[in-house]
């Protein structure tokens, strides 16, 4: 899920330590957080949100304990910890979803938030059940902590003079609703999921059963992000960056770190289990499971961190990673996205905003007797593009998506032909001279037409261009913007001349281009390969490179995309 970020925020993002956790205060903090998320959506990110529930689940449990003496006479049921987790997940999910919907609507975005009741499978034999470590509830003084411990609570000092109740926190093994969360995220919705680390359940012969525990939300977030292919995981904490040597004169912030270094610091005891330890463990697990990039930062620095200006960034050196948001001009549309393997990383496009560009499949370039052969080229080397391009063309027509054909050629009076182009090289025949298929590269001649196998049909745009680039001296950009196109699937000849020029022009204008390697070709195979390498170099500096097979495979299960309304 390229261009997708999972934000994991703590329950104390809504309730700060030491302050009253009133509903009004939590609503205010949810609204501030929602504003930040809406900014990211407006930037083009697809966003998932997970959240902790430490303070809130503690409140719920404590309320149950306060009325326990009267529970029997009042007919009140017991409140097990796992049900308190479910209660907190529903309540916080509601607060966040309402705040998010409001913030998104204020920006004029049609995206909406969806809160998913989420379960996580844990191991019934996890040793954490015998060793409580997860803090819940409000901070306590030492006096209150001693009184609660006498009542049977497990209490620890989480900071000097600050005490918290702790409960078991087993490791999550599986997010039960992961597939459904992935499907919702693919629609462009802001998905709120895995609240409080998920409702812990164990699997027995007769089904799922809740267990009394609170799963660490960072561990669950890393598991969920890796299992559904999220590109970037962000764990939000109280500091801008992870530091080593905390509390000493040798304190040092970690900005960009690799897994080996970070694990070394963890094993050296730099990150305590009750604070930064679980976050570090979680980001290490995320990249070990195939994640691209993990960031630890504060809520205030969130946007700067995603743009690489703040935070601690964990990446794997030889794994491509998208380090910036998608095209900021186009917010998600709500239509399911399509993703396919490509270089340097998977290409994702919205089917409502994509077009197929077929560049210069003309007889003058691809058949004997045309301009290409007059230059001494073997035109048969281009004809291998016809079959795969025909299959892609058929798919686009079946889905009702736009197709644009270009033809390079000049006016019959050659008024648009510069001498610099006319006099280049030593062809047997020059542009405008008579050949076996009429005047070479002149509009209206037989050679100027597109090969029959790829000929346009009614309703498809045919664009005549006088130069190599499809944007030069044409209205292509106007056509694309009028139709809301942001992504181009590019086919055509030749790879290193007209295709490459067009893709670079498209990139400069903000369009994202996927070049299909087997649907493009050159008279010189080495030039073809070199051009493809240049497209995807430096993290996709001008575009992506894929294949027709990969594209068509990605379209096979997407019958929902057919007849997309534009």
């Amino acid at each position: 899920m390229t261009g997708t970020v999972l934000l994991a925020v703590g329950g104390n993002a809504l309730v700060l330590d030491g302050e009253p956790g009133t509903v009004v205060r939590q609503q205010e903090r949810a609204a501030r957080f929602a504003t930040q998320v809406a900014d990211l959506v407006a930037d083009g990110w697809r966003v998932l949100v997970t959240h902790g529930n430490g303070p809130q689940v503690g409140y719920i449990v404590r309320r149950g304990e306060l009325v326990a003496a009267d529970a029997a006479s009042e007919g009140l049921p017991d409140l097990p910890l796992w049900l308190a987790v479910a209660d907190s997940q529903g309540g916080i999910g509601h607060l966040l979803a309402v705040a998010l919907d409001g913030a998104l609507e204020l920006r004029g975005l049609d995206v909406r938030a969806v809160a998913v009741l989420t379960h996580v499978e844990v191991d019934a034999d996890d040793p954490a059940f015998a060793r409580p470590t997860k803090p819940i509830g409000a901070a306590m003084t030492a006096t209150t902590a001693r009184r609660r411990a006498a009542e049977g609570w497990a209490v620890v000092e989480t900071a000097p003079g600050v005490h918290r109740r702790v409960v078991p926190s087993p490791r999550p093994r599986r997010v039960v609703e992961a597939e459904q969360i992935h499907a919702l995220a693919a629609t462009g919705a802001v998905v709120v999921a895995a609240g409080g680390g998920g409702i812990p359940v164990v699997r027995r012969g007769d089904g799922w059963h809740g267990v009394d525990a609170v799963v660490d939300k960072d561990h669950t977030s890393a598991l969920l992000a890796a299992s559904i292919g999220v590109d970037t995981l962000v764990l939000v904490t109280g500091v801008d960056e992870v530091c080593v040597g905390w509390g000493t004169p040798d304190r040092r912030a970690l900005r960009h770190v690799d897994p080996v270094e970070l694990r070394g610091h963890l094993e050296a005891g730099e990150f305590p289990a009750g604070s930064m330890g679980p976050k570090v463990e979680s980001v290490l697990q995320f990249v070990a499971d195939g994640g691209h990039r993990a960031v630890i930062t504060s809520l205030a620095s969130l946007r700067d961190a995603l743009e690489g200006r703040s935070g601690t960034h964990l990446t794997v050196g030889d794994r491509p990673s998208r380090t910036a948001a998608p095209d900021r001009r186009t917010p998600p549309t709500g239509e399911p996205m399509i993703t396919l393997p490509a270089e340097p990383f998977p290409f994702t496009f919205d089917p409502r905003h994509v077009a197929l560009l077929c560049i210069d499949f003309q007889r003058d370039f691809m058949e004997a007797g045309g301009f290409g052969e007059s230059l001494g080229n073997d035109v048969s080397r281009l004809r291998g593009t016809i079959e795969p391009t025909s299959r892609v063309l058929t798919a686009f027509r079946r889905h009702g998506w736009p197709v644009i054909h270009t033809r390079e050629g000049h006016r019959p009076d050659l008024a648009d032909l510069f001498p610099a182009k006319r006099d280049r090289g030593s062809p047997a025949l020059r542009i405008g001279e008579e050949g076996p298929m009429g005047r070479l590269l002149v509009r209206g001649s037989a050679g100027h037409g597109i090969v029959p196998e790829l000929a346009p049909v009614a309703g498809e745009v045919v664009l005549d261009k006088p130069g190599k680039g499809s944007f030069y001296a044409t209205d292509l950009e106007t056509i694309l913007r009028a139709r809301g196109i942001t992504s181009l699937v590019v086919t055509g000849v030749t790879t290193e001349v007209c295709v490459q020029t067009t893709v670079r022009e498209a990139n400069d204008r903000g369009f994202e281009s996927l070049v299909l390697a087997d649907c493009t070709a050159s008279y010189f195979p080495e030039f073809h390969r070199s051009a493809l390498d240049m497209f995807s170099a430096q993290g996709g500096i001008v575009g992506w490179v894929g294949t027709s097979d990969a594209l068509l495979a990605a379209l096979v299960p997407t019958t929902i995309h057919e007849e997309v309304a534009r």
Side-chain angles (χ1 to χ4, degrees):
M1 297 181 72
T2 304
T4 303
V5 59
L6 189 152
L7 306 177
V9 297
N12 56 9
L14 302 184
V15 181
L16 299 183
D17 286 342
E19 74 173 9
T22 66
V23 172
V24 171
R25 180 58 58 87
Q26 293 186 61
Q27 288 172 319
E28 291 171 349
R29 296 197 182 282
R32 283 198 284 272
F33 172 65
T35 297
Q36 293 181 280
V37 173
D39 287 341
L40 297 181
V41 174
D43 282 349
W45 287 97
R46 282 182 291 175
V47 181
L48 295 93
V49 176
T50 61
H51 60 84
N53 67 344
Q56 295 87 347
V57 75
Y59 300 156
I60 294 169
V61 170
R62 183 59 181 155
R63 281 200 298 267
E65 290 171 338
L66 289 173
V67 300
D70 299 320
S73 61
E74 296 290 338
L76 300 176
D78 291 338
L79 180 64
L81 180 56
W82 60 264
L83 187 55
V85 172
D87 285 353
S88 69
Q89 189 181 108
I92 297 171
H94 165 74
L95 292 176
L96 291 175
V98 168
L100 287 164
D101 282 346
L104 292 164
E105 189 171 69
L106 281 175
R107 282 160 181 73
L109 301 172
D110 61 0
V111 177
R112 288 294 174 264
V114 180
V116 180
L117 198 67
T118 312
H119 302 81
V120 293
E121 182 179 353
V122 300
D123 188 341
D125 297 324
D126 193 305
F129 285 107
R131 195 168 58 249
T133 59
K134 178 66 177 176
I136 66 169
M140 297 176 282
T141 64
T143 301
T144 302
R146 284 193 293 271
R147 185 167 68 251
R148 296 287 179 247
E151 295 172 359
W153 285 14
V155 179
V156 299
E157 188 174 23
T158 57
V162 177
H163 297 75
R164 299 278 300 277
R165 181 182 186 177
V166 289
V167 297
S169 184
R171 284 276 187 165
R173 300 302 178 191
R174 174 192 169 205
V175 178
V176 178
E177 293 83 11
E179 185 177 341
Q180 288 71 34
I181 292 167
H182 179 274
L184 283 168
T187 70
V190 177
V191 182
V192 181
I199 304 163
V201 295
V202 295
R203 187 74 179 265
R204 300 196 185 105
D206 59 344
W208 300 101
H209 297 268
V211 290
D212 283 342
V214 176
V215 179
D216 184 87
K217 69 101 177 30
D218 293 324
H219 288 154
T220 298
S221 299
L223 177 63
L224 174 62
S227 64
I228 66 175
V230 165
D231 189 60
T232 301
L233 170 67
V234 179
L235 303 186
V236 177
T237 184
V239 295
D240 292 345
E241 298 157 336
V242 177
C243 293
V244 293
W246 184 266
T248 73
D250 297 325
R251 171 181 169 179
R252 175 172 63 89
L254 301 176
R255 286 297 311 280
H256 296 277
V257 62
D258 63 40
V260 173
E261 179 186 355
L262 190 61
R263 186 168 294 281
H265 291 312
L266 177 66
E267 293 174 351
E270 289 282 357
F271 312 120
S275 57
M276 193 61 72
K279 296 186 187 300
V280 171
E281 291 174 353
S282 298
V283 296
L284 285 168
Q285 189 60 53
F286 173 65
V287 297
D289 289 342
H292 292 308
R293 178 175 63 141
V295 182
I296 300 176
T297 193
S298 67
L299 199 55
S301 298
L302 176 59
R303 200 171 186 182
D304 283 343
L306 280 172
E307 294 179 356
R309 296 192 297 268
S310 183
T312 294
H313 295 250
L314 176 66
T315 56
V316 178
D318 59 353
R319 183 179 296 154
S321 174
R322 186 173 188 141
T323 57
D327 184 353
R328 296 189 174 195
R329 299 172 298 101
T330 309
T333 63
E335 184 70 26
M337 307 291 276
I338 297 174
T339 300
L340 64 143
E343 293 295 334
F345 50 80
F347 180 74
T348 298
F349 66 90
D350 185 329
R352 297 200 305 181
H353 300 286
V354 68
L356 175 65
L357 190 56
C358 300
I359 299 174
D360 300 357
F361 285 115
Q362 296 164 248
R363 299 180 66 194
D364 257 336
F365 295 124
M366 304 185 70
E367 294 183 4
F371 181 64
E373 190 175 67
S374 78
L375 294 171
N377 298 311
D378 180 0
V379 296
S380 67
R381 289 179 173 171
L382 306 188
R383 296 190 63 79
T385 61
I386 293 176
E387 190 275 331
T389 302
S390 177
R391 290 189 290 116
V392 172
L393 195 55
T394 297
F396 267 68
R397 288 168 176 167
R398 185 176 66 248
H399 287 289
W401 300 340
V403 177
I404 300 171
H405 304 263
T406 72
R407 302 183 299 197
E408 182 181 352
H410 297 275
R411 294 160 46 102
D413 61 5
L414 303 184
D416 57 353
L417 176 61
F418 291 110
K421 181 177 180 180
R422 180 194 63 208
D423 299 334
R424 190 71 63 190
S426 302
L429 293 171
R430 294 192 181 277
I431 296 173
E433 294 182 355
E434 285 288 342
M437 292 185 288
R439 297 176 68 196
L440 300 184
L441 284 190
V442 170
R443 297 171 191 173
S445 67
H448 183 253
I450 294 171
V451 294
E453 299 92 333
L454 303 176
V457 299
E460 293 177 350
V461 174
V462 179
L463 191 77
D464 286 326
K465 61 188 184 72
K468 299 172 178 65
S470 299
F471 290 89
Y472 167 68
T474 75
D475 53 2
L476 177 58
E477 184 172 4
T478 300
I479 293 170
L480 295 176
R481 299 213 185 279
R483 296 187 175 207
I485 302 302
T486 57
S487 300
L488 298 172
V489 174
V490 181
T491 64
V493 296
T494 60
T495 319
E496 78 280 12
V497 183
C498 295
V499 172
Q500 179 168 214
T501 305
T502 297
V503 170
R504 290 179 182 276
E505 290 177 332
N507 177 257
D508 285 341
R509 288 162 174 79
F511 298 101
E512 295 194 328
S513 300
L514 170 70
V515 179
L516 299 182
D518 54 333
C519 297
T520 56
S522 170
Y523 300 121
F524 307 94
E526 64 275 19
F527 293 172
H528 171 70
R529 186 67 258 168
S530 177
L532 295 178
D533 289 343
M534 284 190 285
F535 291 141
S536 60
Q538 300 180 65
I541 191 168
V542 295
W544 287 257
V545 176
T547 65
S548 61
D549 284 344
L551 174 63
L552 295 173
L555 300 185
V556 167
T558 59
T559 55
I560 189 173
H561 300 140
E562 296 202 22
E563 302 300 327
V564 173
R566 291 187 179 275

